[in-house]
Amino acid sequence: MAKPLKVDELWLERIAGLLDEMEFGSLHIVVHEGQIVQMERTERKRFENGSARISGETGCRRTDSRSAGRG
């Protein structure tokens, strides 16, 4: 039989703290025998100016591939 989940004020504060500044992402809460035992926060960052990021990544890739080819 499943035990009822025990969530006190401390856990509510912890959950709220992890969600507080998150704009995009998820919070995974692991429950074992009716008690929270672990929380995992995955956060995504989204950037509107994709052209600067893409050109910077391309430059890094070229440098990396040239270095790898020489060795």
Side-chain angles (χ1 to χ4, degrees):
M1 180 181 227
K3 293 185 179 182
L5 180 62
K6 299 174 187 176
V7 182
D8 59 12
E9 191 64 32
L10 177 61
W11 279 110
L12 293 175
E13 289 176 16
R14 289 175 178 169
I15 292 167
L18 288 171
L19 294 173
D20 188 36
E21 295 180 7
M22 186 185 303
E23 189 172 359
F24 300 99
S26 62
L27 179 64
H28 182 83
I29 300 172
V30 178
V31 177
H32 182 72
E33 295 184 359
Q35 294 185 344
I36 297 173
V37 294
Q38 181 175 332
M39 292 191 290
E40 299 173 352
R41 176 178 162 168
T42 303
E43 189 169 6
R44 307 277 189 236
K45 296 289 184 183
R46 298 190 180 184
F47 303 95
E48 291 185 23
N49 186 0
S51 61
R53 183 175 50 107
I54 291 170
S55 64
E57 287 178 1
T58 302
C60 291
R61 285 187 193 135
R62 264 190 245 139
T63 303
D64 292 344
S65 62
R66 287 180 188 169
S67 298
R70 290 182 186 169

